[in-house]
Amino acid sequence: MVYAVVGGWLALAALVVAAWRRMGQDRRWRVAVLLFVLGFSLLHQLLFATATEDAYVSFRYAQNIADGNGPVFTMGDRSETYANFLWLVVIALPRGAFGAEVPTAAMILSCAAALGCVLTAYFLANRIAALGLPEGVEPRRAIGVAAALLTAGANGLAVYGLSGTELPMFSLLVLCVAYAVVAGRPVVAGVLVASAVMTRPEGLVLAVVGAVWLVSAAARGRHTWWAPVGFVLGALVFLVPWTAWRVTYYDRFVPAAELPSGPDWPYLGGFALAHLGFLVPAAVVAGLVAARGRSVEARSALWLLLALAIGHAGIVLFFEKDPGLSWRLLVPVPPLLAVAAVAGCGILTPAPRPGAVSRAVPAVAAALTGIAVAVSVFSPEVLERVRAWRTQGAQLAEVGDWLARYLPPGSVVSAGSPGLLASRAGSKVLVVGLDAERSTVAVPGRSGYASRQDCADDLPAWYRVATFRRIGTPFWISVYPRADDASQLVDELDRAPDFHYVSCP
């Protein structure tokens, strides 16, 4: 698959550069090349195609919604341990309407949202570049193809495209909000902002930045004061009833969350280093537009994208913990920077000389996409970590099957990865999070098997540690049965032919 992605990039890069002039003149060429870009984006996603623990938690909630049990992980326990309400509803709909499997529907929908990001980047870049055109000049719509190509190369979007998580849909909503604001559709932008807030808490950045941008534009006379008012009303139409329902259903206004102890600067530094191909062009183009940009509206739209990217990165850095793969919570930032960089090029060079065909933009976009693909393939924080998680997920699935088969019916498992274990345990065993007291067995590990026996007994006093060797492998798993039933539970688990109990020294 690595060779297919690299080969796809080489072929697409050559096509975009060679067909640049035709794309600017013929809509059919643009459509054809865009289809190739979408195909490359799908290929890039297939390189990873791994559902994460967050996805399995969402699958469990969505399953309960579709089955009429409400948005709960465990029936009878109204705990709001999710932050992606709208995504849960979206992936529950196919099961409720057609009986489709939730994981399959979620992966298809997240992939479709990632492809939607590629298309929206095309339209948004063209829209902003058109704002910088002198009157009577024909728009250069091929500019949008370069933005779509860069977005297809964004490795964060590719990692989560087939993951079944809400991140591609949230990224799509971010780009759509920017498009609606730039296009002068404040009510639509408000509705989309409400959707984004119900999908991820970082959507609050969209609300604040969008409102400030519209108020500033109204104060400068670029549109009426109805725009910010319509924006707020469009958002409140959905946010007010949703908030009222949450307070009623979960009996709390703000979800319980653990804030980080401080900004995670190494996290941001690693992200910046891996995404220099997006950060540097956006910063350079922004500086040039500030010095030479001709259109106030175009420059303002460019600042909107940059403000959204900076605001989103800021709220993640200061207020959220991200233990996920490939800078999970920063997935929307590279597409925003890609559109800003390409659209800025369109603002700087709105009217080329007659007969001149500059291939600098497609050549640079293709080269930067190649750098992004190289990061996907070679960075230890991307493909290597995804493969490690895929292995760990397969191991946790084995553990879930083992517990479900050999624990007594009705047992309660307190797990560090409850979503994945619950997906395999079925109805015989109840899987809950690590905060559950007096569970039958605790499995705190989040990373599958260990390479050595681990007899650490740092759980509460009502648990005992029991270590099992995975037969035929050098791997171990530590579980913590309840103290008063430890002997019986260990004997039950030791009946499995694939796991052998080994007492701690």
Side-chain angles (χ1 to χ4, degrees):
M1 185 57 72
V2 170
Y3 293 109
V5 172
V6 174
W9 163 71
L10 289 172
L12 186 57
L15 175 63
V16 170
V17 174
W20 186 249
R21 180 172 184 176
R22 288 189 177 92
M23 285 192 293
Q25 299 171 346
D26 192 333
R27 180 175 177 271
R28 292 172 298 179
W29 271 92
R30 288 196 300 276
V31 171
V33 175
L34 268 176
L35 290 175
F36 277 107
V37 173
L38 291 172
F40 168 70
S41 176
L42 179 59
L43 199 63
H44 199 181
Q45 294 174 52
L46 289 171
L47 177 65
F48 304 101
T50 300
T52 64
E53 166 63 18
D54 296 327
Y56 283 103
V57 171
S58 298
F59 299 162
R60 176 72 170 241
Y61 274 99
Q63 180 90 26
N64 281 325
I65 291 174
D67 293 345
N69 301 317
V72 294
F73 188 83
T74 303
M75 285 184 288
D77 179 19
R78 293 188 177 184
S79 299
E80 190 183 14
T81 56
Y82 63 87
N84 55 348
F85 172 77
L86 186 58
W87 179 245
L88 303 181
V89 174
V90 168
I91 64 177
L93 287 175
R95 177 173 178 81
F98 314 110
E101 293 294 326
V102 170
T104 302
M107 294 181 73
I108 292 173
L109 290 170
S110 63
C111 177
L115 297 177
C117 290
V118 175
L119 283 178
T120 306
Y122 166 82
F123 290 111
L124 181 57
N126 279 342
R127 183 84 191 198
I128 296 175
L131 294 176
L133 293 175
E135 187 175 352
V137 175
E138 186 71 18
R140 297 192 303 165
R141 302 191 186 279
I143 281 288
V145 176
L149 178 60
L150 269 174
T151 303
N155 44 66
L157 191 62
V159 167
Y160 292 98
L162 279 163
S163 69
T165 67
E166 76 282 0
L167 294 168
M169 188 176 86
F170 180 71
S171 300
L172 177 60
L173 287 169
V174 171
L175 293 173
C176 287
V177 167
Y179 186 91
V181 171
V182 171
R185 300 290 186 269
V187 177
V188 174
V191 172
L192 292 171
V193 159
S195 301
V197 172
M198 291 188 289
T199 302
R200 287 290 315 168
E202 299 94 327
L204 292 171
V205 172
L206 284 173
V208 173
V209 173
V212 170
W213 192 89
L214 289 169
V215 167
S216 176
R220 298 183 182 187
R222 293 204 299 272
H223 52 62
T224 68
W225 284 98
W226 161 246
V229 172
F231 177 81
V232 172
L233 291 177
L236 292 179
V237 164
F238 291 94
L239 290 179
V240 169
W242 173 62
T243 302
W245 169 81
R246 282 186 56 256
V247 172
T248 303
Y249 193 82
Y250 294 110
D251 197 26
R252 62 164 57 97
F253 183 79
V254 179
E258 180 184 355
L259 294 177
S261 57
D264 191 349
W265 296 113
Y267 174 84
L268 183 64
F271 171 81
L273 185 63
H275 293 83
L276 287 176
F278 295 88
L279 293 168
V280 172
V284 171
V285 169
L288 292 174
V289 168
R292 298 166 49 191
R294 298 172 175 83
S295 169
V296 174
E297 289 189 5
R299 281 184 293 169
S300 180
L302 187 63
W303 303 142
L304 171 67
L305 298 182
L306 296 176
L308 288 174
I310 294 171
H312 183 91
I315 196 171
V316 169
L317 180 66
F318 286 95
F319 297 105
E320 299 192 59
K321 296 176 68 175
D322 182 12
L325 305 168
S326 191
W327 302 282
R328 177 175 63 98
L329 298 183
L330 294 176
V331 168
V333 174
L336 286 170
L337 296 177
V339 174
V342 174
C345 292
I347 296 169
L348 290 170
T349 57
R353 297 188 304 275
V357 179
S358 174
R359 290 186 170 85
V361 170
V364 172
L368 294 177
T369 303
I371 294 174
V373 169
V375 170
S376 291
V377 173
F378 297 111
S379 171
E381 292 296 325
V382 188
L383 184 57
E384 184 177 324
R385 285 197 65 191
V386 171
R387 286 175 170 171
W389 167 249
R390 188 179 296 154
T391 300
Q392 293 164 8
Q395 294 173 356
L396 287 170
E398 288 185 354
V399 172
D401 291 337
W402 171 48
L403 296 176
R405 184 172 300 177
Y406 291 97
L407 283 177
S411 297
V412 179
V413 177
S414 173
S417 296
L420 223 167
L421 292 184
S423 70
R424 306 302 293 257
S427 58
K428 180 182 175 182
V429 173
L430 179 63
V431 180
V432 296
L434 281 177
D435 59 346
E437 295 185 357
R438 301 297 296 174
S439 57
T440 308
V441 172
V443 187
R446 300 173 184 268
S447 303
Y449 299 131
S451 58
R452 58 183 177 83
Q453 185 180 27
D454 183 5
C455 293
D457 192 4
D458 52 359
L459 264 67
W462 55 81
Y463 291 114
R464 295 290 183 268
V465 63
T467 58
F468 289 81
R469 179 78 176 265
R470 177 69 168 85
I471 302 299
T473 74
F475 299 133
W476 296 78
I477 182 73
S478 296
V479 300
Y480 296 80
R482 194 170 58 194
D484 50 2
D485 292 330
S487 297
Q488 178 186 350
L489 293 171
V490 168
D491 289 342
E492 292 289 335
L493 292 173
D494 198 30
R495 292 190 299 113
D498 297 328
F499 292 88
H500 175 60
Y501 172 68
V502 179
S503 61
C504 287

